[in-house]
Amino acid sequence: MTAPHSPPASAAPRVNPLQRLWLRELGMERLWLRPAPQPQAAPAAMPQVPVPKQESPAATPQVAVSKQESPAPAMPARVGAVPARDAAAPPPASAVRPAGPGPGLRNGPPPKPAPKAEVVTDAAPAVIPVAEAVKNATLDELREQVVACTACGLCGGRRHAVFGHGGQPTRWLVVGEAPGEQEDRQGQPFVGRSGQLLDSMLSAVGMSRERDVFIANVIKCRPPGNRNPKPEEIAACSPYLMRQIALLKPERILVLGRFAAQTLLGTDSTIGSLRGRVHQMKTEEGREIPVIVSYHPAYLLRSPAEKARAWQDLKLASRQL
Ligand code: URA
């Protein structure tokens, strides 16, 4: 316990000025004026991702922050670069805030600058925007670009980018949302339970993923926890899908699920209003490709009663249009 009287002159209080005022009000100020603890060495097993600490205000560390950086993705930035906003998770508020009270911040010492995100670029090659890089890419080149892509923050958490897979010439291009856990592990699209259902749906209309169908996703890297992709991730990734469409020249496109349908058709209409009819998508070369919208297999697994509607969608897609 700290002596209630006469702290050493050099002692730095561990309370901020507002807290000091409160303590003074309570007549407890002196109890808290004790030498600042020596900064402790960071424990060996410090988490890489900042975890906001649940500490009492008096124990708010003044400096907790300097090491609060998320690891920059160790990938060569050939196509795209991780925007700083995505590369570094925002440090917790308690970490960047100096220990002074909120309102006094403006007049207090300037806060330490937040750590800057580092982008590791092997020999710093020029960063080419995705839309530019894909322009003249062949399918193999496009695959290489996708595998090495760092255009958004998703690259930091992926095991594999999932380019897509299928037969050529491509009769149907099937477009899903984004890789899930299994797809991220294996680097192939629709290989989990949804994929098994998709395969049987396709074979019910005489289609095979090896022979007639190319399967791809709007987003090539798995969003953490399978969350919905963010607008900036969609914007960064969609040039790849557009180039896939231009190169594969599918006879038609079957879009699975609300997210992919809305992205591809540029609408926020519900899936219920988008399915059951044939849309047209105009490619950059001016070609029109019929687009059929259906439910995502993951949704059908949860709502098997909707399989009858999905069957109608597949029959619509199989029709001579
Ligand atoms: N869901 C998708 O949308 N795509 C996949 O590749 C797997 C699951």
Side-chain angles (χ1 to χ4, degrees):
M1 241 335 182
T2 313
H5 299 293
S6 308
S10 61
R14 293 185 67 223
V15 293
N16 66 44
L18 183 62
Q19 289 157 352
R20 186 198 286 262
L21 273 176
W22 293 338
L23 292 169
R24 190 173 297 159
E25 287 281 313
L26 296 169
M28 292 174 64
E29 183 186 21
R30 288 186 159 202
L31 280 174
W32 287 86
L33 292 176
R34 58 176 190 250
Q38 292 302 308
Q40 292 188 351
M46 189 116 142
Q48 302 259 340
V49 180
V51 181
K53 284 188 186 163
Q54 301 290 327
E55 287 178 331
S56 68
T60 303
Q62 301 212 8
V63 284
V65 252
S66 46
K67 295 267 185 256
Q68 304 280 358
E69 278 174 50
S70 65
M75 307 219 34
R78 282 194 214 108
V79 178
V82 183
R85 196 159 31 108
D86 286 332
S94 66
V96 286
R97 213 186 317 125
L105 259 181
R106 295 227 166 108
N107 300 326
K112 289 192 169 208
K116 290 232 168 73
E118 245 179 63
V119 177
V120 176
T121 56
D122 262 356
V127 174
I128 309 163
V130 177
E132 204 50 44
V134 303
K135 255 184 190 162
N136 298 310
T138 65
L139 204 63
D140 285 343
E141 287 164 351
L142 194 66
R143 184 188 303 275
E144 283 168 22
Q145 290 174 356
V146 166
V147 166
C149 182
T150 59
C152 80
L154 294 181
C155 65
R158 73 178 173 219
R159 288 189 179 97
H160 293 103
V162 180
F163 177 72
H165 175 85
Q168 281 177 272
T170 304
R171 293 183 61 198
W172 289 12
L173 174 64
V174 175
V175 180
E177 177 173 328
E181 191 191 356
Q182 285 307 316
E183 291 76 20
D184 176 59
R185 273 181 198 279
Q186 300 180 38
Q188 294 296 331
F190 279 100
V191 287
R193 282 184 67 220
S194 299
Q196 287 167 10
L197 177 57
L198 176 61
D199 284 342
S200 26
M201 287 163 63
L202 290 172
S203 77
V205 286
M207 291 278 166
S208 119
R209 78 156 80 194
E210 300 303 330
R211 194 186 53 224
D212 322 283
V213 175
F214 195 99
I215 303 178
N217 287 303
V218 174
I219 299 288
K220 310 301 189 200
C221 298
R222 183 190 183 203
N226 298 341
R227 67 156 165 75
N228 286 337
K230 296 178 185 173
E232 63 267 29
E233 294 158 356
I234 300 166
C237 213
S238 44
Y240 292 127
L241 180 62
M242 294 307 140
R243 185 67 187 155
Q244 284 177 312
I245 294 171
L247 288 164
L248 294 168
K249 299 184 172 40
E251 286 171 24
R252 67 205 49 181
I253 300 176
L254 176 65
V255 194
L256 301 178
R258 178 183 64 90
F259 168 84
Q262 290 179 341
T263 306
L264 219 72
L265 297 172
T267 174
D268 55 8
S269 304
T270 62
I271 191 138
S273 68
L274 293 172
R275 57 167 294 282
R277 59 203 168 99
V278 180
H279 306 259
Q280 296 292 333
M281 181 183 172
K282 208 167 189 154
T283 65
E284 282 161 12
E285 310 88 55
R287 218 164 65 83
E288 295 236 313
I289 305 178
V291 176
I292 293 92
V293 172
S294 191
Y295 296 110
H296 194 285
Y299 171 73
L300 295 174
L301 288 171
R302 294 193 303 271
S303 313
E306 301 289 14
K307 283 184 185 170
R309 289 208 174 93
W311 173 238
Q312 288 168 3
D313 299 333
L314 288 174
K315 284 201 295 187
L316 176 61
S318 309
R319 234 179 258 163
Q320 276 303 331
L321 301 173

